[in-house]
Amino acid sequence: MKTIDYTHVPQVFPLCIHDACSLAERCLRHMAWTALPTSEEHINIINPKCAASGETCRFYRSAEPVIYARGFRGMQAKMLPAQYAKFSERLLKHFSRTSYFEHRRGTMLCSPGDIAYIRGVLDELGLSDLEFDAYEERYNWID
């Protein structure tokens, strides 16, 4: 079983205490539970009466890392002004103003869902060859 650094676990992330579950070794919630340090006095756990063991567990979260994107400033340089106006208008409506700029700068990661949405906008504009500024492999804690 892989081990994780508990300092990366979001504070509100619910943990799973089912050691006997057949998915425990691949479940991010259980891996976070096993990495829990004794210094943590308060945690969130999934109600053991609600969690199912095995394939039918609705709380299962895969521990396979996924690709996140960081920033898309470089895209603007490769777009015509009219293309960028349409691109930014669509993304501003989707993300809100502050979130849009945080995603564009790379201070907020683009989740796999965000990447798919941005790629869809790029496809509509005929710019499917554009890439994000950087990519990172991380655990999917929230999405």
Side-chain angles (χ1 to χ4, degrees):
M1 173 154 79
K2 300 180 230 174
T3 58
I4 60 169
D5 180 353
Y6 193 80
T7 61
H8 294 138
V9 178
Q11 188 174 13
V12 297
F13 188 71
L15 311 180
C16 180
I17 64 172
H18 278 283
D19 292 327
C21 177
S22 62
L23 299 177
E25 290 187 14
R26 301 177 309 200
C27 181
L28 199 52
R29 295 186 193 285
H30 189 267
M31 289 172 61
W33 166 253
T34 59
L36 179 71
T38 56
S39 60
E40 290 292 322
E41 294 180 354
H42 299 92
I43 59 170
N44 289 321
I45 65 166
I46 294 169
N47 182 344
K49 294 178 181 179
C50 294
S53 184
E55 302 295 326
T56 59
C57 183
R58 67 180 185 185
F59 299 105
Y60 171 75
R61 179 159 305 261
S62 174
E64 286 301 313
V66 296
I67 302 296
Y68 286 81
R70 186 175 292 283
F72 48 87
R73 281 183 170 168
M75 292 180 184
Q76 182 178 2
K78 297 175 182 171
M79 292 183 194
L80 298 172
Q83 291 172 320
Y84 185 71
K86 288 180 186 176
F87 175 78
S88 61
E89 178 185 347
R90 291 276 305 278
L91 269 57
L92 280 164
K93 287 180 183 176
H94 179 76
F95 288 120
S96 82
R97 186 169 181 79
T98 301
S99 182
Y100 165 77
F101 286 108
E102 289 174 343
H103 281 89
R104 187 180 83 167
R105 278 192 311 267
T107 55
M108 182 180 283
L109 287 173
C110 294
S111 70
D114 297 336
I115 293 170
Y117 181 82
I118 294 168
R119 290 232 180 266
V121 173
L122 290 170
D123 288 346
E124 289 175 20
L125 296 172
L127 300 167
S128 55
D129 60 327
L130 296 183
E131 292 296 328
F132 290 87
D133 297 342
Y135 295 92
E136 296 178 17
E137 195 174 68
R138 294 187 170 215
Y139 290 121
N140 186 355
W141 297 107
I142 306 297
D143 305 324

